[in-house]
Amino acid sequence: MGRTLECVPAGWEKRKGVSGMRAFGLTAYRTQWGVLKTVAVALVITLVTAGCFGAGGGDEGDGATGGAETSEGPVELTFWSWVPDLQKEVDLFEEAHPNIAVKLVNAGTGADEYTKLRTALKAGSGAPDVVQVEFQFIPTFRQIDGLVDLSQYGANEVKDDYADWAWDQVSEGDSVYAIPQDSGPMGLLYRKDIFEKYNLEVPTTWDEFAAEAEKLHKANPDIFMTDFPPSDPGWFTGLLWQNGVRPFEVDGTNVSVSLDDPAVLQVTEFWGDLIDAGLVDTTPDFTNEWYSGLSEGKYASWVSAAWGPVFLQGIAGKTSGKWRVAPLPQWEEGEEVTANWGGSTDAVTTQSDNPEEAAELAIWLNHDPESVAMLNETSFLFPVLESHLESDDFKTKQYPFYGGQEVNEVFIESSNNVDTGFEWSPFQDYVYSQMSTHLSAAIKGEMSYTEAIEDLQSTVAKYAEDQGFTLQQ
Amino acid sequence: MTVQREQTLPAVSGKPSSDSRTKDGKPRGPHRQLGPKLVPYLFLLPFLLLFIFFLILPLVYALGISMFEDRLVGGSVFIGAENYLRAFRDQAFLDGVGRMLLFGVVQVPIMLALALTFALILESGLVRFRKFFRLAIFLPYAIPSVVAALTWGYLYGPTFGPFTQAAEFLNITPPRFLSEAGMLPSLGNIVTWEFTGYNMIILYAALQAVPPELREASSVDGATGWQIARYIKIPLIAPALVLTTVFSIIGTLQLFNEPSIMGAIAPTVIQNDYTPNLYAYNLAFQNQQYNFSAAISFALGFIVFVGSFTFMTAMNRRNAT
């Protein structure tokens, strides 16, 4: 629809014998017929304009449904993703699949895209065929029946090729709701020069981390051991994950919420003490202030994830050679437990008219060796495909920004140690927003960290109940 | 147009023989016929159609969903006015409204005083390069508010922002723009910067409509420039002042972009419910509480209406006495 309508009909002025705007004015205002004709023209304009609006909306829908109309021509898929330079991988896919045309759209990063996706799903049209979704939002979109079970299109055939924990995140039993694309097993990025200058040891446990933080602060109060971002619940959840917290268990409409268990309190109070003692800064991350802090030596370390090293290179270029990467500090000496922060998947929406082709795109893009290599090398995604994780080229790549360290090795190890069995809630945006609100309140001193966590638990539990879930103990 | 065509008109306009207009299109008397009476409405039709489809229908839809409760599990249930009762008891919403009223009571007078001052100065002919200044003061309005908020957010930066850097260079305590106490003034500053020029243009246009004879007469009577402004110009542009005030009240209660952008750099201060509009947005798109969000929006609309109406009534009463 809409394709035959033009916003400004060609030759319109000539045919009507009036000049556009004057049609509304006095020239044609001579007789009643003239008046009526003017009105008629105005109406036509209205309808054409409305038609154009309609066409604008319709085109998006067409992208998603176009293929169904023409069984002969290529199937057209719409693909929402914010991965940089993804067009190259999409071109590869199109080369390998002459019958499928892909329209790649950047519909915003993270929350921006989710808002659009949710609106489209709610409206009943306008969602793409394939969509990028971060791990933590898969249950949220499943809850509103937004994602197609890909097991019917052969997704389970590639199951064993991915890191266990990653597959665990996208599947439930034999059902598969997305194909993992990249991940963020966590690790510690630190400033070797600052550590050496102040005689700090690279911490292997969180206790050591706190002790070194205190030592650093005494030596130089202008430098913080690290930053605790009050509005990055994904980061905080990663830390909870590492400590064995399982905040949600979901079984159909039964949900258990354990945001206040001792392991949560342990993590929260640990960081709360550091913040209250002024050893750790609380600047929101991914803001200009924070970027400056990292490049100006305000922070001695960044508790980060596998995508962090390349990202940091981009924002703190002048600190090249000064950073190193270490494994994530542990709660118990000698343990090797890590968690994941960030990373995405590609899922197929229930609005797709060509779910089979859409599934093929989601799988191929994240499984084909050439495409996966490209995602890693040009889009800087940390892979979840075992074959790529274990390839020598990847493992032994040296990064000058990190003094030639083989950075990937640390994160491959971390990827292998990510705890499986971590579940997200089916209303993750609410949980995240409440987590930010409560942590912020505690940082501001409006309540203690313990109170914040207890209140977080009761707020989220109440929301779950209000939304019709049955709470399990 | 041809005679033949005029004869086809009766079906549409009633009596073609008693055309109320002369050949040159001037009305000949009161419109008694149905046809000519309809004409203005036909002209309005394009607007009306868009108005209905893009404003009235969405409003009706929102009003409709505000009476339901849609749960993630269990679907939609009709609950009548319960969302509204909840809205007016919702501390987060009421706090947001209170915050915006406080904001408006301080910011709107400052902004309008500045706008009026600039307009009077520019109109008085006291300054040279009038066109340049007019444009320069108006320019911030042409900058998208998101861009403005991002820029100011950078300037306000607590460690690396230029104000902080300058304060540290001078060895004085840097202002804490993004702190709990500093945020409202900081936002007020952005909004004032953005909208002073816009209000100035409205007031300036109104000033230009003040008859020059009045000014000349008062000059002859020995009035000073200040007296002319105070007793001639300002009273005569009172309607424009009322208009700009009402627009500002509405704009204040609906503040969204600036706090939303500031929220990214000061999340501990600006939370999801900092302003009523931000709250409604987050309820819908983050909490998936579309129904309650619709109710909050209508409640806000009601408060905006009451606020504007009260102000207008107060003004009218003052004018009447």
Side-chain angles (χ1 to χ4, degrees), chain B:
Chain B
M1 292 301 129
T2 63
V3 176
Q4 201 186 6
R5 275 184 179 167
E6 279 186 5
Q7 282 168 348
T8 62
L9 279 171
V12 187
S13 64
K15 293 182 192 164
S17 51
S18 60
D19 190 342
S20 66
R21 288 167 201 283
T22 56
K23 278 285 174 201
D24 59 6
K26 295 230 170 75
R28 200 163 43 194
H31 299 190
R32 293 224 169 80
Q33 296 82 3
L34 185 65
K37 263 195 173 173
L38 267 180
V39 168
Y41 296 101
L42 283 172
F43 270 104
L44 277 175
L45 202 58
F47 161 76
L48 276 178
L49 283 178
L50 294 174
F51 182 70
I52 289 169
F53 280 107
F54 292 102
L55 196 74
I56 300 298
L57 284 184
L59 273 177
V60 170
Y61 175 76
L63 187 67
I65 65 169
S66 72
M67 314 244 191
F68 286 83
E69 185 176 19
D70 190 6
R71 298 172 172 186
L72 283 174
V73 179
S76 224
V77 196
F78 181 80
I79 54 166
E82 205 174 291
N83 279 329
Y84 289 93
L85 296 176
R86 197 176 138 202
F88 282 105
R89 281 194 309 248
D90 186 349
Q91 204 53 45
F93 173 63
L94 297 178
D95 284 352
V97 172
R99 198 174 286 123
M100 285 305 98
L101 288 178
L102 172 67
F103 178 92
V105 164
V106 179
Q107 188 264 336
V108 172
I110 291 177
M111 174 178 69
L112 292 183
L114 279 174
L116 181 62
T117 311
F118 288 140
L120 284 170
I121 291 174
L122 286 180
E123 201 263 350
S124 70
L126 286 176
V127 286
R128 303 177 72 182
F129 311 115
R130 231 193 300 178
K131 277 188 178 163
F132 167 77
F133 282 113
R134 205 171 57 199
L135 186 68
I137 297 169
F138 184 70
L139 202 60
Y141 179 68
I143 293 170
S145 58
V146 171
V147 176
L150 284 171
T151 312
W152 279 104
Y154 161 72
L155 295 174
Y156 288 155
T159 316
F160 300 102
F163 289 116
T164 309
Q165 300 274 341
E168 272 170 7
F169 181 74
L170 298 170
N171 237 335
I172 51 174
T173 318
R176 309 258 292 138
F177 293 110
L178 301 178
S179 64
E180 189 88 19
M183 186 53 83
L184 273 186
S186 299
L187 283 173
N189 176 51
I190 301 175
V191 175
T192 305
W193 180 80
E194 281 175 322
F195 290 102
T196 298
Y198 169 77
N199 288 305
M200 178 199 75
I201 291 290
I202 296 180
L203 298 176
Y204 181 79
L207 279 174
Q208 291 200 314
V210 173
E213 306 86 65
L214 288 176
R215 190 177 319 168
E216 280 158 23
S218 48
S219 281
V220 169
D221 287 346
T224 62
W226 162 250
Q227 284 170 327
I228 296 175
R230 170 70 185 81
Y231 296 105
I232 308 284
K233 290 179 182 171
I234 296 179
L236 280 172
I237 61 162
L241 277 168
V242 172
L243 180 83
T244 49
T245 310
V246 170
F247 281 0
S248 303
I249 292 173
I250 295 172
T252 300
L253 280 164
Q254 301 199 340
L255 207 60
F256 179 82
N257 282 344
E258 295 80 4
S260 163
I261 299 287
M262 289 294 145
I265 56 173
T268 50
V269 179
I270 294 192
Q271 310 230 314
N272 288 338
D273 49 12
Y274 196 75
T275 77
N277 241 355
L278 204 56
Y279 187 45
Y281 174 82
N282 283 314
L283 280 174
F285 296 110
Q286 202 164 58
N287 298 7
Q288 305 189 52
Q289 293 167 321
Y290 298 95
N291 311 83
F292 186 47
S293 172
I296 287 279
S297 304
F298 270 97
L300 176 62
F302 177 72
I303 292 170
V304 169
F305 173 77
V306 169
S308 320
F309 187 78
T310 312
F311 178 76
M312 301 261 270
T313 318
M315 285 298 115
N316 284 341
R317 217 171 265 159
R318 233 188 86 186
N319 289 348
T321 51

Side-chain angles (χ1 to χ4, degrees), chain A residues 79-390:
Chain A
F79 179 20
W80 285 2
S81 175
W82 65 82
V83 171
D85 282 333
L86 192 62
Q87 189 60 47
K88 290 177 193 155
E89 289 85 342
V90 167
D91 289 344
L92 268 188
F93 173 82
E94 284 181 323
E95 245 172 70
H97 300 78
N99 62 327
I100 306 178
V102 181
K103 189 177 148 203
L104 179 64
V105 178
N106 183 344
T109 302
D112 294 339
E113 190 211 66
Y114 302 144
T115 302
K116 288 182 190 137
L117 179 61
R118 203 194 317 270
T119 309
L121 288 170
K122 185 126 184 108
S125 73
D129 297 84
V130 183
V131 65
Q132 177 180 359
V133 179
E134 289 161 286
F135 287 106
Q136 67 268 26
F137 283 100
I138 294 173
T140 301
F141 286 109
R142 268 191 59 198
Q143 183 63 40
I144 51 173
D145 286 327
L147 307 182
V148 171
D149 180 0
L150 301 176
S151 63
Q152 53 191 317
Y153 305 111
N156 276 315
E157 286 161 29
V158 296
K159 173 181 176 176
D160 296 333
D161 301 338
Y162 291 91
D164 287 346
W165 71 266
W167 197 262
D168 187 57
Q169 291 267 300
V170 299
S171 60
E172 188 179 299
D174 279 338
S175 300
V176 182
Y177 293 96
I179 304 296
Q181 179 163 65
D182 71 305
S183 67
M186 294 180 79
L188 181 71
L189 275 53
Y190 67 96
R191 283 282 294 267
K192 186 166 183 275
D193 56 327
I194 295 179
F195 269 59
E196 275 171 1
K197 187 173 173 193
Y198 297 102
N199 278 322
L200 308 180
E201 296 278 325
V202 179
T204 56
T205 65
W206 287 115
D207 282 342
E208 285 175 26
F209 184 87
E212 300 302 304
E214 200 171 350
K215 202 165 138 191
L216 173 64
H217 190 70
K218 268 189 192 143
N220 186 344
D222 286 339
I223 305 179
F224 295 93
M225 184 58 167
T226 193
D227 181 60
F228 180 95
S231 56
D232 199 329
W235 176 83
F236 187 70
T237 305
L239 297 174
L240 298 180
W241 183 340
Q242 186 208 10
N243 200 22
V245 175
R246 294 293 173 266
F248 301 100
E249 271 170 50
V250 186
D251 177 19
T253 60
N254 294 327
V255 177
S256 74
V257 181
S258 347
L259 282 164
D260 62 346
D261 77 27
V264 179
L265 286 172
Q266 186 186 12
V267 176
T268 315
E269 278 164 7
F270 171 82
W271 287 96
D273 289 345
L274 289 177
I275 294 166
D276 290 346
L279 307 178
V280 161
D281 192 28
T282 53
T283 296
D285 55 0
F286 306 103
T287 58
N288 285 329
E289 281 286 310
W290 183 78
Y291 295 145
S292 306
L294 284 172
S295 63
E296 303 293 333
K298 186 179 171 187
Y299 306 124
S301 73
W302 177 26
V303 179
S304 182
W307 44 264
V310 176
F311 183 81
L312 184 65
Q313 241 170 288
I315 56 164
K318 65 178 180 184
T319 56
S320 181
K322 294 176 177 169
W323 292 86
R324 295 291 182 277
V325 178
L328 194 63
Q330 297 294 312
W331 287 103
E332 295 289 335
E333 182 77 58
E335 273 186 346
E336 283 184 332
V337 189
T338 63
N340 184 66
W341 173 32
S344 275
T345 69
D346 288 325
V348 175
T349 73
T350 42
Q351 278 179 18
S352 175
D353 284 331
N354 302 290
E356 195 174 345
E357 286 81 2
E360 174 64 14
L361 172 61
I363 296 172
W364 192 91
L365 209 62
N366 301 307
H367 193 261
D368 178 78
E370 202 183 340
S371 172
V372 169
M374 219 182 244
L375 282 172
N376 172 237
E377 279 147 27
T378 65
S379 305
F380 302 113
L381 302 184
F382 190 82
V384 273
L385 195 70
E386 293 281 4
S387 58
H388 194 88
L389 276 172
E390 273 153 26

